[in-house]
Amino acid sequence: MRKVALLVMLMVAIPVFSLSTPAHSGQDRIQAIIEAVDTDELYRYDRTIQDFGPHPTGSEACRAVASFIYDEFQSYGLEVSYEPWEAAGLSSRNVVATLPGETNFAVIISAHYDSVEVSPGADDDGSGVSCVLMAARILSQYRFRHTIRFVAFSGEEQGLYGSAHHARQAYLADEYILADLQLDGVGHAESSQGGSTIRLCAEGASTWITDVAQEVLDIYGQNIDLSIHRNRNFPGSDHQSFLNYGYEGVFFLEYEFNPYYHSAQDTIEHVNFSYLTKVCKLATATLATIADREVSIYLRLVEPERGALYLGSRKLMVLDSHRTMVLGQTLARAQIYTQEDISRVEFYFDGRLRGIAEGQPYEHTYTKLSLFNHVVTAVAHGRQSQDSNELTVAMYNLAPGNWLD
Ligand SMILES: [Zn+2]
């Protein structure tokens, strides 16, 4: 009897489920996502956030903003959780919503929901949080190859504390994060140039994310009306926490400086919602594109670990930061996820090729005299593509294996 009932339920449930999954695929799907970005809804989000008044980390208003974000995420049918963190005498919670994918990879869109002491934070960063909510609302209606995480951090204004915790936990859990798209101050524009330009701050290994955003504009630009101003990386927002742990990320930032920044006048009246809508379209479409992209090679430097102190290849202790220090010779080891044959992995120290590994284990020991910071880079070469990862290590090796360079 129960079996029959279950079968009937399944027969009813399956068609309903497939009807509720949008039929769009590929380009149609991205187009539909762009069109779904809604200015009135962005206004409602940002208005709600600023109406809580100034909401610095630790305040009652900050907790109220967090629960507003939590409830919104939940109403879209996403898995939602609070992620508590403590740092520098502060304690607070990030709000994390997850849309599970089919692979072990994740893509993140993020913003910070705390404000400074005096400011209602409509632009900094109510604008970014509004975009994250909008992306969550729209993308929750679709399914993607990779997992998407929608994250609102706190503790940004005091020192990127919420995101530092999140990135560290992800790193310690061996998470494969493809990219973090951080939006912080994306609602201010006065001139026509300001209203049609977005800064994408990225450099080095993260510039491919800007390239994807540019591809989105090349195809759908007429529906977005925005151009990208490529900036070198500015470390002043939460994407930096991901970079610190060896992940890749970009920082979306308004083109014109906001004169109301960190003041009591950072209110909804000074947010340009047609500009915010454009930025939200670009960020959401870029996120969706990355979330469906196949990953050919994904390389991570796993030794030495970030945030640890080593004596040679032996880990002595875990440090309370992302920094890495090695006393003696440095063993660099790469771990690779790949869909291609790997022909070789190259190891560079301060940009100079020092070792090549043609098979497992992909590692190289650096034996030269070293003092202070050095940059270790590993590059995996497949047949069609390559991937690299970089790590800055404070190396102190006063008894080198070979004094000559
Ligand atoms: Zn900010």
Side-chain angles (χ1 to χ4, degrees):
M1 191 64 196
R2 297 185 70 177
K3 266 185 187 163
V4 172
L6 183 67
L7 196 64
V8 171
M9 273 170 62
L10 280 172
M11 285 165 68
V12 173
I14 289 165
V16 168
F17 178 75
S18 57
L19 278 177
S20 69
T21 306
H24 302 291
S25 65
Q27 291 204 354
D28 281 0
R29 195 154 111 133
I30 298 294
Q31 184 59 40
I33 286 166
I34 289 169
E35 283 168 11
V37 172
D38 185 86
T39 307
D40 293 342
E41 196 68 355
L42 284 169
Y43 182 88
R44 181 178 75 83
Y45 296 147
D46 206 2
R47 163 116 233 168
T48 306
I49 292 167
Q50 75 130 37
D51 284 354
F52 286 109
H55 41 278
T57 300
S59 67
E60 195 49 53
C62 189
R63 283 186 283 277
V65 175
S67 80
F68 163 66
I69 296 166
Y70 186 104
D71 292 347
E72 283 293 326
F73 280 152
Q74 202 167 46
S75 75
Y76 313 145
L78 295 166
E79 297 167 17
V80 197
S81 62
Y82 283 118
E83 180 186 38
W85 58 264
E86 277 177 40
L90 283 168
S91 62
S92 182
R93 300 188 292 185
N94 301 323
V95 191
V96 182
T98 305
L99 179 63
E102 298 150 11
T103 69
N104 289 328
F105 292 99
V107 195
I108 296 176
I109 186 167
S110 58
H112 71 89
Y113 73 87
D114 61 313
S115 74
V116 293
E117 206 74 49
V118 297
S119 175
D123 187 38
D124 184 11
D125 184 22
S127 63
V129 173
S130 299
C131 285
V132 171
L133 288 172
M134 178 59 67
R137 196 183 83 161
I138 297 168
L139 301 189
S140 63
Q141 301 304 303
Y142 297 83
R143 293 294 170 265
F144 296 87
R145 188 190 297 257
H146 310 303
T147 293
I148 302 180
R149 275 216 297 272
F150 307 90
V151 189
F153 296 117
S154 54
E156 194 273 350
E157 298 291 1
Q158 290 87 354
L160 314 181
Y161 293 136
S163 56
H165 176 82
H166 188 89
R168 184 181 177 93
Q169 294 311 114
Y171 176 79
L172 293 175
D174 277 333
E175 278 190 25
Y176 285 15
I177 296 173
L178 294 172
D180 171 52
L181 279 57
Q182 165 79 359
L183 293 90
D184 187 1
V186 288
H188 177 77
E190 289 170 18
S191 69
S192 67
Q193 190 184 5
S196 57
T197 315
I198 182 73
R199 288 179 197 275
L200 267 174
C201 313
E203 61 195 24
S206 298
T207 50
W208 68 271
I209 306 166
T210 308
D211 296 340
V212 173
Q214 186 58 57
E215 284 166 29
V216 165
L217 288 179
D218 291 345
I219 302 169
Y220 307 101
Q222 73 283 6
N223 306 98
I224 301 178
D225 183 29
L226 207 56
S227 64
I228 294 172
H229 183 92
R230 286 178 183 251
N231 253 110
R232 67 179 172 80
N233 182 47
F234 288 164
S237 196
D238 291 311
H239 68 299
Q240 187 61 38
S241 295
F242 292 88
L243 301 184
N244 290 344
Y245 281 94
Y247 297 117
E248 289 155 15
V250 295
F251 173 13
F252 286 73
L253 175 64
E254 56 219 2
Y255 182 71
E256 287 172 303
F257 177 73
N258 184 348
Y260 310 107
Y261 169 76
H262 285 186
S263 81
Q265 284 76 49
D266 183 5
T267 56
I268 203 87
E269 289 76 24
H270 297 126
V271 172
N272 181 330
F273 281 92
S274 68
Y275 179 64
L276 181 59
T277 302
K278 294 178 186 184
V279 176
C280 188
K281 285 180 176 182
L282 178 61
T284 306
T286 303
L287 176 69
T289 304
I290 294 171
D292 261 344
R293 223 166 232 221
E294 208 173 324
V295 179
S296 313
I297 306 178
Y298 185 86
L299 177 150
R300 297 177 351 128
L301 274 164
V302 291
E303 288 288 342
E305 277 174 33
R306 294 164 202 268
L309 169 66
Y310 283 78
L311 182 60
S313 59
R314 196 157 66 88
K315 188 164 87 176
L316 290 183
M317 63 184 291
V318 171
L319 304 173
D320 194 19
S321 95
H322 63 274
R323 295 184 199 287
T324 307
M325 187 186 282
V326 178
L327 311 173
Q329 301 182 347
T330 297
L331 168 72
R333 179 154 65 231
Q335 189 185 73
I336 301 170
Y337 162 90
T338 183
Q339 304 270 44
E340 302 179 26
D341 290 336
I342 299 296
S343 59
R344 66 190 191 284
V345 176
E346 297 167 344
F347 289 90
Y348 294 82
F349 286 77
D350 298 320
R352 210 165 144 179
L353 181 62
R354 295 295 191 174
I356 296 174
E358 288 178 341
Q360 300 267 21
Y362 297 115
E363 60 183 38
H364 176 75
T365 301
Y366 187 65
T367 60
K368 308 282 177 205
L369 173 76
S370 35
L371 278 174
F372 310 116
N373 281 347
H374 297 272
V375 178
V376 182
T377 311
V379 187
H381 294 268
R383 285 194 196 290
Q384 277 117 45
S385 49
Q386 60 179 64
D387 193 36
S388 66
N389 195 208
E390 199 173 280
L391 167 66
T392 299
V393 185
M395 294 181 193
Y396 295 89
N397 183 10
L398 300 173
N402 182 357
W403 283 94
L404 298 173
D405 213 21

